[in-house]
Amino acid sequence: LDDSPHLGYAPMVHNGKPVYCIFLVKELLDRMKEYEWLDDLTDSVDVYTLIYTPDVDTLTLVQVNFEFSPTGRITSRDRQFSYTSIQASDRWVSWLVLTIIFLILSA
């Protein structure tokens, strides 16, 4: 697979494949469409988004994967990971102390 820059962004290599991590905004999406970013060589597209729910102080990572088969079939998978505030946990003080110790030792 080609790991040259695309739309000015160099890829990271993950599991031997180039991965392009880009914050999508309308202007960038227009450029991607112009350069035909989905073509016959595209085998998968991963979309990630973070959703914050302030009422319950929860941060959720949503991942949607679209896989394109050589025959034209598109399959999708999705996963969600939710995290609540650790400050509400009874282990908050332990986590904070360990984090401070880690930061001191890594400096």
Side-chain angles (χ1 to χ4, degrees), residues 3 5-7 11-12 14 16 18 23 26-27 35 39 51 56 60 64 68 77 86 89 91 95 98:
D3 62 353
H6 183 66
L7 296 175
M12 299 180 339
H14 180 69
F23 182 74
K26 183 179 178 343
E27 294 79 17
Y35 290 105
D39 59 18
I51 301 170
V56 291
T60 302
V64 181
F68 305 93
R77 291 179 293 153
I86 194 168
S89 170
R91 295 182 287 182
W95 180 86
L98 290 173

PDB file of all heavy atoms in Angstrom, residues 3 5-7 11-12 14 16 18 23 26-27 35 39 51 56 60 64 68 77 86 89 91 95 98:
ATOM      1  N   ASP A   3       2.170   4.755   1.051  1.00  0.00           N
ATOM      2  CA  ASP A   3       2.145   5.528   2.289  1.00  0.00           C
ATOM      3  C   ASP A   3       2.597   6.970   2.060  1.00  0.00           C
ATOM      4  O   ASP A   3       3.082   7.630   2.956  1.00  0.00           O
ATOM      5  CB  ASP A   3       2.986   4.863   3.379  1.00  0.00           C
ATOM      6  CG  ASP A   3       4.457   4.760   2.999  1.00  0.00           C
ATOM      7  OD1 ASP A   3       4.804   5.077   1.850  1.00  0.00           O
ATOM      8  OD2 ASP A   3       5.243   4.363   3.868  1.00  0.00           O
ATOM      9  N   PRO A   5       1.999  11.058   1.283  1.00  0.00           N
ATOM     10  CA  PRO A   5       1.004  12.005   1.794  1.00  0.00           C
ATOM     11  C   PRO A   5      -0.209  12.100   0.876  1.00  0.00           C
ATOM     12  O   PRO A   5      -0.103  11.973  -0.335  1.00  0.00           O
ATOM     13  CB  PRO A   5       1.758  13.331   1.832  1.00  0.00           C
ATOM     14  CG  PRO A   5       3.193  12.949   1.911  1.00  0.00           C
ATOM     15  CD  PRO A   5       3.308  11.670   1.121  1.00  0.00           C
ATOM     16  N   HIS A   6      -1.360  12.279   1.487  1.00  0.00           N
ATOM     17  CA  HIS A   6      -2.605  12.419   0.731  1.00  0.00           C
ATOM     18  C   HIS A   6      -3.305  13.673   1.231  1.00  0.00           C
ATOM     19  O   HIS A   6      -3.516  13.826   2.433  1.00  0.00           O
ATOM     20  CB  HIS A   6      -3.485  11.191   0.940  1.00  0.00           C
ATOM     21  CG  HIS A   6      -4.743  11.216   0.147  1.00  0.00           C
ATOM     22  ND1 HIS A   6      -4.750  11.151  -1.227  1.00  0.00           N
ATOM     23  CD2 HIS A   6      -6.036  11.308   0.522  1.00  0.00           C
ATOM     24  CE1 HIS A   6      -5.990  11.196  -1.659  1.00  0.00           C
ATOM     25  NE2 HIS A   6      -6.793  11.296  -0.623  1.00  0.00           N
ATOM     26  N   LEU A   7      -3.644  14.558   0.334  1.00  0.00           N
ATOM     27  CA  LEU A   7      -4.248  15.850   0.674  1.00  0.00           C
ATOM     28  C   LEU A   7      -3.378  16.622   1.650  1.00  0.00           C
ATOM     29  O   LEU A   7      -3.854  17.351   2.493  1.00  0.00           O
ATOM     30  CB  LEU A   7      -5.649  15.658   1.259  1.00  0.00           C
ATOM     31  CG  LEU A   7      -6.698  15.058   0.324  1.00  0.00           C
ATOM     32  CD1 LEU A   7      -7.996  14.804   1.076  1.00  0.00           C
ATOM     33  CD2 LEU A   7      -6.947  15.948  -0.867  1.00  0.00           C
ATOM     34  N   PRO A  11       0.440   9.628   6.384  1.00  0.00           N
ATOM     35  CA  PRO A  11      -0.276   8.635   7.187  1.00  0.00           C
ATOM     36  C   PRO A  11       0.562   8.101   8.340  1.00  0.00           C
ATOM     37  O   PRO A  11       1.786   8.165   8.325  1.00  0.00           O
ATOM     38  CB  PRO A  11      -0.541   7.522   6.173  1.00  0.00           C
ATOM     39  CG  PRO A  11       0.651   7.585   5.275  1.00  0.00           C
ATOM     40  CD  PRO A  11       0.961   9.062   5.144  1.00  0.00           C
ATOM     41  N   MET A  12      -0.126   7.565   9.339  1.00  0.00           N
ATOM     42  CA  MET A  12       0.514   6.745  10.352  1.00  0.00           C
ATOM     43  C   MET A  12       0.402   5.315   9.819  1.00  0.00           C
ATOM     44  O   MET A  12      -0.507   5.010   9.054  1.00  0.00           O
ATOM     45  CB  MET A  12      -0.228   6.833  11.692  1.00  0.00           C
ATOM     46  CG  MET A  12      -0.278   8.214  12.272  1.00  0.00           C
ATOM     47  SD  MET A  12      -1.137   8.341  13.858  1.00  0.00           S
ATOM     48  CE  MET A  12      -2.185   6.947  13.965  1.00  0.00           C
ATOM     49  N   HIS A  14      -0.416   1.549  10.777  1.00  0.00           N
ATOM     50  CA  HIS A  14      -1.027   0.741  11.830  1.00  0.00           C
ATOM     51  C   HIS A  14      -1.310  -0.642  11.266  1.00  0.00           C
ATOM     52  O   HIS A  14      -2.005  -0.761  10.260  1.00  0.00           O
ATOM     53  CB  HIS A  14      -2.311   1.408  12.324  1.00  0.00           C
ATOM     54  CG  HIS A  14      -3.007   0.649  13.402  1.00  0.00           C
ATOM     55  ND1 HIS A  14      -2.496   0.523  14.661  1.00  0.00           N
ATOM     56  CD2 HIS A  14      -4.168  -0.032  13.399  1.00  0.00           C
ATOM     57  CE1 HIS A  14      -3.312  -0.191  15.396  1.00  0.00           C
ATOM     58  NE2 HIS A  14      -4.339  -0.550  14.641  1.00  0.00           N
ATOM     59  N   GLY A  16       0.602  -2.469   9.583  1.00  0.00           N
ATOM     60  CA  GLY A  16       1.136  -2.567   8.233  1.00  0.00           C
ATOM     61  C   GLY A  16       0.376  -1.799   7.174  1.00  0.00           C
ATOM     62  O   GLY A  16       0.708  -1.856   6.004  1.00  0.00           O
ATOM     63  N   PRO A  18      -1.300   2.027   5.856  1.00  0.00           N
ATOM     64  CA  PRO A  18      -1.290   3.465   6.107  1.00  0.00           C
ATOM     65  C   PRO A  18      -2.658   3.922   6.609  1.00  0.00           C
ATOM     66  O   PRO A  18      -3.687   3.498   6.101  1.00  0.00           O
ATOM     67  CB  PRO A  18      -0.971   4.076   4.734  1.00  0.00           C
ATOM     68  CG  PRO A  18      -1.385   3.037   3.752  1.00  0.00           C
ATOM     69  CD  PRO A  18      -1.227   1.706   4.433  1.00  0.00           C
ATOM     70  N   PHE A  23      -9.140  15.543  10.929  1.00  0.00           N
ATOM     71  CA  PHE A  23     -10.348  16.137  11.489  1.00  0.00           C
ATOM     72  C   PHE A  23     -11.183  16.627  10.314  1.00  0.00           C
ATOM     73  O   PHE A  23     -10.741  17.453   9.525  1.00  0.00           O
ATOM     74  CB  PHE A  23      -9.994  17.292  12.425  1.00  0.00           C
ATOM     75  CG  PHE A  23     -11.194  17.912  13.061  1.00  0.00           C
ATOM     76  CD1 PHE A  23     -11.873  17.249  14.073  1.00  0.00           C
ATOM     77  CD2 PHE A  23     -11.652  19.137  12.640  1.00  0.00           C
ATOM     78  CE1 PHE A  23     -12.989  17.816  14.660  1.00  0.00           C
ATOM     79  CE2 PHE A  23     -12.762  19.718  13.222  1.00  0.00           C
ATOM     80  CZ  PHE A  23     -13.430  19.054  14.237  1.00  0.00           C
ATOM     81  N   LYS A  26     -16.064  20.689   6.519  1.00  0.00           N
ATOM     82  CA  LYS A  26     -16.683  20.744   5.194  1.00  0.00           C
ATOM     83  C   LYS A  26     -15.668  21.042   4.090  1.00  0.00           C
ATOM     84  O   LYS A  26     -15.680  20.401   3.040  1.00  0.00           O
ATOM     85  CB  LYS A  26     -17.801  21.784   5.172  1.00  0.00           C
ATOM     86  CG  LYS A  26     -18.518  21.815   3.822  1.00  0.00           C
ATOM     87  CD  LYS A  26     -19.625  22.800   3.782  1.00  0.00           C
ATOM     88  CE  LYS A  26     -20.327  22.894   2.462  1.00  0.00           C
ATOM     89  NZ  LYS A  26     -19.745  22.370   1.283  1.00  0.00           N
ATOM     90  N   GLU A  27     -14.761  21.976   4.331  1.00  0.00           N
ATOM     91  CA  GLU A  27     -13.787  22.335   3.300  1.00  0.00           C
ATOM     92  C   GLU A  27     -12.895  21.146   2.950  1.00  0.00           C
ATOM     93  O   GLU A  27     -12.564  20.924   1.787  1.00  0.00           O
ATOM     94  CB  GLU A  27     -12.919  23.515   3.747  1.00  0.00           C
ATOM     95  CG  GLU A  27     -13.657  24.821   3.911  1.00  0.00           C
ATOM     96  CD  GLU A  27     -14.440  24.906   5.219  1.00  0.00           C
ATOM     97  OE1 GLU A  27     -14.185  24.119   6.148  1.00  0.00           O
ATOM     98  OE2 GLU A  27     -15.339  25.753   5.302  1.00  0.00           O
ATOM     99  N   TYR A  35     -10.746  14.942  -5.114  1.00  0.00           N
ATOM    100  CA  TYR A  35      -9.660  14.017  -5.435  1.00  0.00           C
ATOM    101  C   TYR A  35     -10.115  12.557  -5.429  1.00  0.00           C
ATOM    102  O   TYR A  35      -9.295  11.649  -5.441  1.00  0.00           O
ATOM    103  CB  TYR A  35      -8.500  14.191  -4.458  1.00  0.00           C
ATOM    104  CG  TYR A  35      -7.763  15.487  -4.656  1.00  0.00           C
ATOM    105  CD1 TYR A  35      -7.925  16.536  -3.767  1.00  0.00           C
ATOM    106  CD2 TYR A  35      -6.911  15.664  -5.750  1.00  0.00           C
ATOM    107  CE1 TYR A  35      -7.255  17.733  -3.946  1.00  0.00           C
ATOM    108  CE2 TYR A  35      -6.236  16.856  -5.934  1.00  0.00           C
ATOM    109  CZ  TYR A  35      -6.412  17.886  -5.028  1.00  0.00           C
ATOM    110  OH  TYR A  35      -5.748  19.065  -5.201  1.00  0.00           O
ATOM    111  N   ASP A  39     -12.291   5.336  -4.020  1.00  0.00           N
ATOM    112  CA  ASP A  39     -12.161   4.847  -5.387  1.00  0.00           C
ATOM    113  C   ASP A  39     -12.177   3.324  -5.382  1.00  0.00           C
ATOM    114  O   ASP A  39     -12.463   2.696  -4.360  1.00  0.00           O
ATOM    115  CB  ASP A  39     -10.899   5.403  -6.051  1.00  0.00           C
ATOM    116  CG  ASP A  39      -9.623   5.045  -5.304  1.00  0.00           C
ATOM    117  OD1 ASP A  39      -9.644   4.101  -4.484  1.00  0.00           O
ATOM    118  OD2 ASP A  39      -8.605   5.699  -5.535  1.00  0.00           O
ATOM    119  N   ILE A  51     -18.684  11.807  21.517  1.00  0.00           N
ATOM    120  CA  ILE A  51     -19.950  12.426  21.914  1.00  0.00           C
ATOM    121  C   ILE A  51     -19.928  12.619  23.416  1.00  0.00           C
ATOM    122  O   ILE A  51     -19.711  11.661  24.167  1.00  0.00           O
ATOM    123  CB  ILE A  51     -21.154  11.541  21.514  1.00  0.00           C
ATOM    124  CG1 ILE A  51     -21.156  11.311  20.003  1.00  0.00           C
ATOM    125  CG2 ILE A  51     -22.459  12.159  21.987  1.00  0.00           C
ATOM    126  CD1 ILE A  51     -22.142  10.270  19.542  1.00  0.00           C
ATOM    127  N   VAL A  56     -25.128  13.280  32.192  1.00  0.00           N
ATOM    128  CA  VAL A  56     -24.613  12.131  32.937  1.00  0.00           C
ATOM    129  C   VAL A  56     -23.084  12.108  32.963  1.00  0.00           C
ATOM    130  O   VAL A  56     -22.486  11.129  33.387  1.00  0.00           O
ATOM    131  CB  VAL A  56     -25.160  10.801  32.361  1.00  0.00           C
ATOM    132  CG1 VAL A  56     -26.636  10.665  32.642  1.00  0.00           C
ATOM    133  CG2 VAL A  56     -24.871  10.692  30.885  1.00  0.00           C
ATOM    134  N   THR A  60     -18.463   9.322  25.055  1.00  0.00           N
ATOM    135  CA  THR A  60     -18.620   8.097  24.278  1.00  0.00           C
ATOM    136  C   THR A  60     -17.845   8.215  22.974  1.00  0.00           C
ATOM    137  O   THR A  60     -17.977   9.199  22.258  1.00  0.00           O
ATOM    138  CB  THR A  60     -20.107   7.830  23.973  1.00  0.00           C
ATOM    139  OG1 THR A  60     -20.816   7.743  25.207  1.00  0.00           O
ATOM    140  CG2 THR A  60     -20.287   6.548  23.192  1.00  0.00           C
ATOM    141  N   VAL A  64     -17.389   3.565  13.490  1.00  0.00           N
ATOM    142  CA  VAL A  64     -18.137   2.899  12.428  1.00  0.00           C
ATOM    143  C   VAL A  64     -17.123   2.527  11.352  1.00  0.00           C
ATOM    144  O   VAL A  64     -16.342   3.364  10.910  1.00  0.00           O
ATOM    145  CB  VAL A  64     -19.249   3.801  11.838  1.00  0.00           C
ATOM    146  CG1 VAL A  64     -20.010   3.054  10.754  1.00  0.00           C
ATOM    147  CG2 VAL A  64     -20.193   4.275  12.927  1.00  0.00           C
ATOM    148  N   PHE A  68     -15.390  -2.514   1.963  1.00  0.00           N
ATOM    149  CA  PHE A  68     -15.808  -2.626   0.574  1.00  0.00           C
ATOM    150  C   PHE A  68     -15.212  -3.903  -0.016  1.00  0.00           C
ATOM    151  O   PHE A  68     -13.993  -4.030  -0.098  1.00  0.00           O
ATOM    152  CB  PHE A  68     -15.339  -1.411  -0.234  1.00  0.00           C
ATOM    153  CG  PHE A  68     -15.779  -0.100   0.360  1.00  0.00           C
ATOM    154  CD1 PHE A  68     -14.957   0.586   1.231  1.00  0.00           C
ATOM    155  CD2 PHE A  68     -17.018   0.427   0.064  1.00  0.00           C
ATOM    156  CE1 PHE A  68     -15.359   1.792   1.794  1.00  0.00           C
ATOM    157  CE2 PHE A  68     -17.428   1.627   0.614  1.00  0.00           C
ATOM    158  CZ  PHE A  68     -16.598   2.310   1.483  1.00  0.00           C
ATOM    159  N   ARG A  77     -19.732  -2.164  10.488  1.00  0.00           N
ATOM    160  CA  ARG A  77     -19.690  -2.580  11.889  1.00  0.00           C
ATOM    161  C   ARG A  77     -19.602  -1.323  12.719  1.00  0.00           C
ATOM    162  O   ARG A  77     -19.025  -0.318  12.292  1.00  0.00           O
ATOM    163  CB  ARG A  77     -18.466  -3.442  12.175  1.00  0.00           C
ATOM    164  CG  ARG A  77     -18.502  -4.805  11.535  1.00  0.00           C
ATOM    165  CD  ARG A  77     -17.251  -5.585  11.845  1.00  0.00           C
ATOM    166  NE  ARG A  77     -16.143  -4.906  11.170  1.00  0.00           N
ATOM    167  CZ  ARG A  77     -14.878  -4.948  11.579  1.00  0.00           C
ATOM    168  NH1 ARG A  77     -14.556  -5.605  12.650  1.00  0.00           N
ATOM    169  NH2 ARG A  77     -13.934  -4.331  10.915  1.00  0.00           N
ATOM    170  N   ILE A  86     -14.207   9.877  36.162  1.00  0.00           N
ATOM    171  CA  ILE A  86     -13.517   9.129  37.213  1.00  0.00           C
ATOM    172  C   ILE A  86     -13.625   9.855  38.558  1.00  0.00           C
ATOM    173  O   ILE A  86     -13.479   9.252  39.608  1.00  0.00           O
ATOM    174  CB  ILE A  86     -12.044   8.873  36.826  1.00  0.00           C
ATOM    175  CG1 ILE A  86     -11.443   7.819  37.753  1.00  0.00           C
ATOM    176  CG2 ILE A  86     -11.250  10.149  36.854  1.00  0.00           C
ATOM    177  CD1 ILE A  86     -10.121   7.280  37.298  1.00  0.00           C
ATOM    178  N   SER A  89     -15.908   8.312  40.936  1.00  0.00           N
ATOM    179  CA  SER A  89     -15.537   6.990  41.418  1.00  0.00           C
ATOM    180  C   SER A  89     -14.915   7.072  42.804  1.00  0.00           C
ATOM    181  O   SER A  89     -14.282   8.067  43.166  1.00  0.00           O
ATOM    182  CB  SER A  89     -14.543   6.353  40.448  1.00  0.00           C
ATOM    183  OG  SER A  89     -13.990   5.190  40.996  1.00  0.00           O
ATOM    184  N   ARG A  91     -12.426   5.460  43.566  1.00  0.00           N
ATOM    185  CA  ARG A  91     -10.981   5.297  43.352  1.00  0.00           C
ATOM    186  C   ARG A  91     -10.323   6.559  42.803  1.00  0.00           C
ATOM    187  O   ARG A  91      -9.188   6.529  42.349  1.00  0.00           O
ATOM    188  CB  ARG A  91     -10.753   4.132  42.402  1.00  0.00           C
ATOM    189  CG  ARG A  91     -11.203   2.816  43.024  1.00  0.00           C
ATOM    190  CD  ARG A  91     -10.942   1.672  42.112  1.00  0.00           C
ATOM    191  NE  ARG A  91     -11.915   1.736  41.014  1.00  0.00           N
ATOM    192  CZ  ARG A  91     -11.992   0.858  40.051  1.00  0.00           C
ATOM    193  NH1 ARG A  91     -11.166  -0.141  40.005  1.00  0.00           N
ATOM    194  NH2 ARG A  91     -12.899   0.976  39.105  1.00  0.00           N
ATOM    195  N   TRP A  95      -6.299   7.117  41.794  1.00  0.00           N
ATOM    196  CA  TRP A  95      -5.921   7.423  40.414  1.00  0.00           C
ATOM    197  C   TRP A  95      -5.121   8.720  40.342  1.00  0.00           C
ATOM    198  O   TRP A  95      -4.118   8.799  39.648  1.00  0.00           O
ATOM    199  CB  TRP A  95      -7.174   7.525  39.548  1.00  0.00           C
ATOM    200  CG  TRP A  95      -6.869   7.842  38.118  1.00  0.00           C
ATOM    201  CD1 TRP A  95      -6.567   6.972  37.129  1.00  0.00           C
ATOM    202  CD2 TRP A  95      -6.813   9.145  37.531  1.00  0.00           C
ATOM    203  NE1 TRP A  95      -6.330   7.642  35.962  1.00  0.00           N
ATOM    204  CE2 TRP A  95      -6.468   8.981  36.176  1.00  0.00           C
ATOM    205  CE3 TRP A  95      -7.017  10.429  38.016  1.00  0.00           C
ATOM    206  CZ2 TRP A  95      -6.324  10.049  35.316  1.00  0.00           C
ATOM    207  CZ3 TRP A  95      -6.872  11.488  37.142  1.00  0.00           C
ATOM    208  CH2 TRP A  95      -6.523  11.293  35.813  1.00  0.00           C
ATOM    209  N   LEU A  98      -1.535   8.160  41.717  1.00  0.00           N
ATOM    210  CA  LEU A  98      -0.733   7.413  40.760  1.00  0.00           C
ATOM    211  C   LEU A  98      -0.375   8.248  39.534  1.00  0.00           C
ATOM    212  O   LEU A  98       0.743   8.143  39.009  1.00  0.00           O
ATOM    213  CB  LEU A  98      -1.463   6.139  40.344  1.00  0.00           C
ATOM    214  CG  LEU A  98      -1.572   5.063  41.428  1.00  0.00           C
ATOM    215  CD1 LEU A  98      -2.459   3.921  40.957  1.00  0.00           C
ATOM    216  CD2 LEU A  98      -0.201   4.549  41.820  1.00  0.00           C
TER     217      LEU A  98
END
